Structures are given as structure tokens and as C-alpha cells.
Amino acid sequence: MPVLYLDIETDNTNGFGLDVFNGKIVTIQILLPSGKTIILKDPGSLDNVKSLLENNLIVGHNLKFDSKFLKHHFGVTLYNVYDTYLAEIILSGGLYAGKHGVTGLKDLVFRYCGQQMNKEEQQGFRYGVPLTQEQKQYAANDLKYLPEIFKQQQAKIKLLELENIINTEMKALPAIVWLELSGIYVDRKRLNELQKEINTRKREAEQSLYEMFRTSKINLNSTQQLTKELNRLGIPVKNTKSEELAKFDHPIIKTLTEYKETEKLLNTFVGKLPTFINKKTGRIHADFFQLGAKSGRLSCTKPNLQQQPSRTLPEWRTIFKAAEGNKIITADYSQIELRILAQVSGDKEYLKAYNTENADLHKLTASKIFNKPLDAVDKKDRSVAKTVNFGIAYGMWAPGLQKKLQSAGIEITDNEAEGIIKGFYEAYPGVAKYLRDISTEGLKNLEVKNKAGRIMRFEKPEDEKAQKSIKRESKNLPIQSLCADMVKIAMGNIFLKLEPKGVKFINTVHDELVFECTEEQAEEVQDIVKTEMEKAGSLFLTDLPCSAEVTVSDIWEKD
């Protein structure tokens, strides 16, 4: 497939240069295989180059930006892409994820070509104003070094056997563009109702605290004052952090926790969310970073739609609503990280649990660690076992287990916590061996690789604490990253099937994908999403089934 090199410049007048809905494209520059550079100034239509852009491999730097503008303004979809920005993060083993000053085009030009780029002209492009000679040169320079960067990156990719990961990421990029342009709708009326409810809860908690403290002259948002007052009442808290408060069983602690939760809901979520609603579309278009973490997981800002308060406020998701006549399709993998752990460890009992119809892994684990028959396992036993199952791959040990269970209202002693975790490792020797081996390997090689071939590297540790951190991360990263790869493979394939049908891709949270479509499309969309997610998972889960659960609703909700 022929390779074209692409870049665009936008008009930053009034600060709209990065805003796809209000900004304008000033130039589109394309470097052809012949070596000729085309510069299209103030394009009104791209009919002449649409086929060229949609049917060839497009190489560029941070192509999500260019793709969004081309799609929104001209209906041009870049299907086959290679992004030097994403490739560099992958080649770094995720060390460059979220870092500035190491993955910009200027950084790559210096790293691969030994040249210093001058970016001063970037802010001067104006729609309707002819280009200066300097601007023409600047536009050409943004393409000039891409072939050499592409060539050298390709050699590194081959050497490190990262072809599959690069392919997964580049196929997922058009889906991220689809996601950001789709946006998610917020029901302002429902948000206002929740705001009133939370305000009422806050006032009630506030009044109760004043009565319990026997004074209203205390600043309930002052850690220092609250700590002093709680100590005065005989509650020896060191501070008012949630994990510290969870250690104490007292009515005032419960009320204070309620107050702090309502305060956070109002300030962090309820108050800020409306400011992100786009005036032109009436929807929130968050920024998703495709390689937001070393594991390959996405991260999100403006706002962070991946960290919404649905745990502290279960009804929160009701504000994210489908437009009239539409439905929201929410799909997520069932216990995916535990299934991955079963696959990579090869543990016979773990695999057996997932290959036995109606088996309950958490109940099985409880039976093993508490040495009880399955029918004697109670709700508390299962809850403890569930916490252990999900926490063990994160390197959780006794203190972590105690803290987790404490926040769920379950108290256990140090010895009990150590006994439970020891019992888990004895019950699942395959899991124990895998976690032991991978943590040793991670510290020795300062990198781990997942089943898909993704490499995750670590900085050289300077002390024992850093060494422990590497060992802990080495246990979880191959699991978490494989989940990310499954989701991205599914995402890329779903894009090809559903985006042309007008379906919106409105959110993703780790192992969850969320879509909006018409009522008539709902059944078809549900089937396609479930099929593609399970197909992507089964590429790696070869010894046990992969299951995706799908919900169809008027709001963003899960089973």
C-alpha cells in the first residue's frame, strides 16, 4: 500500500486552534510517494483527495488531531494510519505514556534525525490570509522528517517483535476519533434533581455533625479542626482521609463520611460537569488518550468520564441518557482480569472454575481458604474471597486485604489476613507460581511482556521500595495490559461495522464499551458488540471461555 505523509495547520484565532467544533483548517499538507508536497490552503472541499486519503496508508504525528478535523469538517475518514507519536510510546515500553517533552514531533526529529525544529511559526496560520514563505517552509518541514522517523521506528518495531501491538493501536485510532466526535449526552434536568438530593443530604449531615460536636463554629472542611474535635471526643484519628476514618466504628465517623462524599460530589462532579457540555452539539466530548498508561489503557480528561462517582452514588449514571428515540448499549467483559490470570497462570483449579457451567469462583475460593464445604460458604466468606481474587493480581498482601475489607465493613486481624492469603496461594499453586515468577522476571529484566506481545518497561530502581513496586507492577501489568489489548482489538473491528451505520461510540471505561444507536438498531448493535468483544478475547483466552455482558437501556447502566 502506498505511503502518504500528512499534517494540518489550524487557525488559533480566539484560541480555537485545538477545538474541532469551532476551529478551522488553514492548510492540509500531503507528502506524496514521488517526493512532491501538496499544500491545500483554506480547503472548502476535499473531494479531489478524499479517495487518496481514505485508501492509502497515512503516516503522521498525533494523527488523532488531524483525523478529527478531517472527519468533522470534510467527512474524510482515515482508515489506514501509522502515528509516529503512538509508535514512540509503544517502543518506549510505555515509559513515555503521559510524559511531555519526549514524544513531540520536535523530540522525534532530534532523536531520529539529529535536527532542531523551530515551531515558532505554528501559531501564525490564519484562515483567509495568504501563507508567507516562512509558513510554507514550516508546513513542508512538518512532513520532511516523517519518512526517516517512520523508517527507523519500523526497524525497531521489527527488532522488538511489536508488529501486532502496533497493528492493534493503529486500527484502534479511528475508533478513538469516532469516540471523541460522538460525545455523550447529559440530562440536565436529571442532574439538577440529583443536585437537590445531594444538597439535602449534605445539609442533613452538616446539621448532625454540629449537634454531635456540640458546636457550629467548626469548619467541616478543615482537616486540622476535624482531627482535633474527633480526638476531643475520644476518637484517635490521625487525619480525616477516608482510609483513616474507615478504621473507626462510630456514628460521627459515618456522618462525617457522608458529608465528605456529598461535598466531593457537588464540587468535583455536579458543579463541573455542565461546563464541559459543548454549546454546538449539546454533548460532552472528552479527551481520550489512547496510551494513557504504561499498560496501554486509555485515560481521559475534560472531564474524566472513566472516573464517575457511580460507586458512592449508584444513580449517578442516570444523568447520561440516550437522545429521544435512541438506546444506550453498554458492554463489558465478565471477570476479565481473573480469566486472564487463569489463562496466563494455567492454574488447573482456576481454569476448571471457568470451564464448569454455573461455577462460582469466589465461592470456590472461599471454600478453599476457609476449609468449608461449598454449601457452607456464607455471604461474608464469599465477599472476603472476592476481595482476595481481585486483589491478588495487584500484589495485595495482608495489610492491603485488611484495608479493603475494612472499607466494606469486614474486620479481620493481622494473623487472619495472612492466613487467608497463604490459604489462597496453597489452593491455587499455578497462580502462586506465575505471580512469583513474573515478579522476579520483571525486577531482573526491568520489563515484562504480555501474551499479545506488548512490552512494559521499568526505570532502574534506586531503593528497596522501588524494587517492591516493580515486583508488584510486574504481577498486574501483563494482565491489565492484555485486557486493554482485547478492548482495542474489539474497538477497531466494531468501528468498521458500526460507525458507517451512524451509531455513536460514547464512552469506554477499561473493559467496558458504551454505544448509542436508534431503537431499531439496538438488537443488531448489541449482537455485533458482544460478538466482536468475545472474538477479541478468545484470541488470547484459548483455555477458557470469554464472556461479554451487554445491557440495552435508555441510560448508561450495567447489569
Side-chain angles (χ1 to χ4, degrees):
M1 185 182 290
V3 178
L4 306 178
Y5 299 89
L6 174 79
D7 187 41
I8 71 169
E9 298 299 336
T10 56
D11 190 332
N12 199 39
T13 306
N14 302 319
F16 289 141
L18 303 178
D19 184 347
V20 67
F21 297 103
N22 292 293
K24 287 182 176 181
I25 295 178
V26 179
T27 65
I28 298 171
Q29 44 268 27
I30 305 166
L31 177 58
L32 301 173
S34 65
K36 181 184 176 184
T37 299
I38 301 171
I39 298 180
L40 305 174
K41 176 74 170 75
D42 301 341
S45 165
L46 291 185
D47 290 348
N48 291 341
V49 293
K50 189 175 192 289
S51 179
L52 192 71
L53 294 172
E54 292 190 338
N55 297 300
N56 291 291
L57 177 63
I58 305 299
V59 176
H61 190 81
N62 191 18
L63 276 173
K64 182 185 80 169
F65 176 80
D66 307 65
S67 297
K68 279 172 67 178
F69 270 84
L70 292 173
K71 179 71 174 175
H72 178 68
H73 291 277
F74 300 106
V76 171
T77 304
L78 302 185
Y79 291 101
N80 307 300
V81 294
Y82 177 92
D83 189 337
T84 53
Y85 164 71
L86 294 178
E88 196 66 10
I89 297 174
I90 295 162
L91 285 167
S92 77
L95 288 176
Y96 290 166
K99 288 189 178 178
H100 297 286
V102 284
T103 53
L105 181 59
K106 188 176 179 180
D107 304 304
L108 268 60
V109 167
F110 184 71
R111 189 172 299 138
Y112 289 101
C113 308
Q115 298 293 317
Q116 291 281 4
M117 281 189 84
N118 185 349
K119 303 293 282 183
E120 288 179 12
E121 289 288 343
Q122 191 172 26
Q123 300 299 316
F125 287 80
R126 296 289 178 261
Y127 190 84
V129 178
L131 297 178
T132 64
Q133 198 55 43
E134 289 78 14
Q135 287 173 331
K136 287 178 183 177
Q137 189 59 51
Y138 174 89
N141 275 348
D142 267 8
L143 298 175
K144 180 180 172 181
Y145 301 105
L146 285 175
E148 183 60 26
I149 295 169
F150 178 51
K151 179 185 169 185
Q152 289 194 41
Q153 283 186 339
Q154 287 287 299
K156 283 187 175 184
I157 289 162
K158 191 173 182 180
L159 185 68
L160 296 170
E161 298 179 337
L162 285 166
E163 291 95 337
N164 287 340
I165 298 301
I166 291 290
N167 187 47
T168 294
E169 293 292 353
M170 300 313 166
K171 284 189 173 179
L173 193 153
I176 306 297
V177 171
W178 177 32
L179 170 62
E180 292 194 2
L181 289 176
S182 292
I184 191 168
Y185 178 71
V186 174
D187 184 343
R188 295 289 290 269
K189 184 181 175 186
R190 179 63 181 135
L191 183 61
N192 290 337
E193 289 171 359
L194 282 181
Q195 186 172 20
K196 287 175 185 174
E197 290 172 22
I198 298 164
N199 266 319
T200 300
R201 281 170 49 193
K202 181 189 170 185
R203 283 194 299 270
E204 288 172 353
E206 198 173 44
Q207 195 56 43
S208 296
L209 286 170
Y210 288 148
E211 289 171 8
M212 291 172 172
F213 283 126
R214 295 179 185 173
T215 176
S216 60
K217 293 181 180 179
I218 177 174
N219 180 356
L220 297 177
N221 297 316
S222 166
T223 296
Q224 195 174 1
Q225 287 186 40
L226 282 173
T227 304
K228 185 180 176 182
E229 287 297 316
L230 289 169
N231 291 166
R232 184 178 62 79
L233 293 175
I235 306 168
V237 296
K238 296 173 184 173
N239 53 57
T240 57
K241 291 180 179 177
S242 55
E243 56 266 30
E244 176 69 11
L245 295 179
K247 296 175 185 175
F248 303 92
D249 183 18
H250 192 284
I252 200 167
I253 295 292
K254 188 177 179 184
T255 308
L256 179 58
T257 300
E258 168 75 358
Y259 172 81
K260 285 165 72 72
E261 281 180 357
T262 55
E263 180 79 357
K264 184 177 180 180
L265 284 169
L266 291 168
N267 293 337
T268 307
F269 298 101
V270 177
K272 288 184 179 177
L273 202 66
T275 65
F276 293 107
I277 297 174
N278 187 287
K279 290 177 182 176
K280 285 196 171 183
T281 67
R283 300 169 77 91
I284 288 176
H285 301 268
D287 286 341
F288 286 85
F289 298 93
Q290 191 170 332
L291 291 168
K294 186 186 291 184
S295 62
R297 268 186 170 185
L298 278 80
S299 63
C300 181
T301 61
K302 298 178 184 178
N304 186 351
L305 292 174
Q306 296 184 323
Q307 286 188 351
Q308 294 297 300
S310 47
R311 287 185 182 176
T312 53
L313 188 67
E315 60 268 44
W316 178 254
R317 284 191 174 201
T318 62
I319 69 167
F320 297 102
K321 192 178 178 182
E324 183 109 16
N326 283 4
K327 292 288 182 183
I328 289 179
I329 315 293
T330 306
D332 68 336
Y333 284 116
S334 171
Q335 297 185 358
I336 193 64
E337 291 196 354
L338 294 182
R339 289 175 191 264
I340 292 171
L341 179 57
Q343 178 67 52
V344 297
S345 68
D347 189 278
K348 291 179 182 177
E349 289 296 306
Y350 244 54
L351 286 169
K352 184 180 174 184
Y354 282 115
N355 282 305
T356 304
E357 197 173 343
N358 299 322
D360 183 335
L361 178 67
H362 303 317
K363 203 170 180 181
L364 176 67
T365 300
S367 168
K368 288 177 179 293
I369 61 180
F370 294 118
N371 199 22
K372 289 182 177 182
L374 273 171
D375 55 10
V377 171
D378 60 25
K379 192 176 178 181
K380 181 185 171 185
D381 295 335
R382 187 183 183 280
S383 183
V384 171
K386 183 178 179 180
T387 302
V388 175
N389 275 330
F390 280 111
I392 213 79
Y394 287 87
M396 183 178 69
W397 195 242
L401 177 60
Q402 281 179 294
K403 192 182 288 185
K404 277 275 187 186
L405 292 176
Q406 205 168 45
S407 63
I410 300 172
E411 295 285 342
I412 58 171
T413 65
D414 293 359
N415 287 340
E416 284 174 330
E418 286 176 11
I420 287 168
I421 291 181
K422 187 181 175 187
F424 175 91
Y425 284 123
E426 287 173 353
Y428 301 115
V431 171
K433 183 178 185 305
Y434 167 76
L435 294 175
R436 186 172 61 247
D437 290 351
I438 198 72
S439 63
T440 302
E441 179 189 319
L443 183 59
K444 180 185 174 184
N445 301 330
L446 293 183
E447 70 173 45
V448 286
K449 186 182 273 195
N450 76 4
K451 197 172 168 64
R454 186 182 294 273
I455 296 170
M456 291 148 285
R457 294 199 179 100
F458 305 101
E459 302 280 8
K460 190 175 181 181
E462 294 180 358
D463 51 33
E464 191 180 344
K465 185 180 178 183
Q467 289 179 351
K468 286 181 178 178
S469 177
I470 289 173
K471 292 184 81 170
R472 191 167 55 248
E473 278 191 80
S474 296
K475 293 176 182 179
N476 179 250
L477 278 174
I479 295 168
Q480 199 178 81
S481 65
L482 190 60
C483 175
D485 287 324
M486 290 175 181
V487 170
K488 286 178 174 178
I489 290 168
M491 200 185 282
N493 291 332
I494 290 168
F495 161 76
L496 293 173
K497 294 191 173 183
L498 295 185
E499 192 271 345
K501 295 177 184 285
V503 174
K504 292 183 184 295
F505 179 19
I506 61 174
N507 200 9
T508 176
V509 185
H510 306 320
D511 67 340
E512 178 183 354
L513 298 175
V514 192
F515 302 88
E516 183 179 342
C517 63
T518 65
E519 286 186 39
E520 293 76 23
Q521 292 173 309
E523 191 175 338
E524 181 190 12
V525 170
Q526 180 182 7
D527 290 344
I528 288 172
V529 170
K530 181 178 174 64
T531 299
E532 290 301 334
M533 286 182 73
E534 290 179 351
K535 197 189 293 180
S538 64
L539 292 172
F540 308 103
L541 299 185
T542 52
D543 297 326
L544 71 162
C546 176
S547 174
E549 296 169 345
V550 188
T551 305
V552 181
S553 177
D554 294 325
I555 57 170
W556 173 27
E557 67 175 345
K558 291 164 71 174
D559 282 336

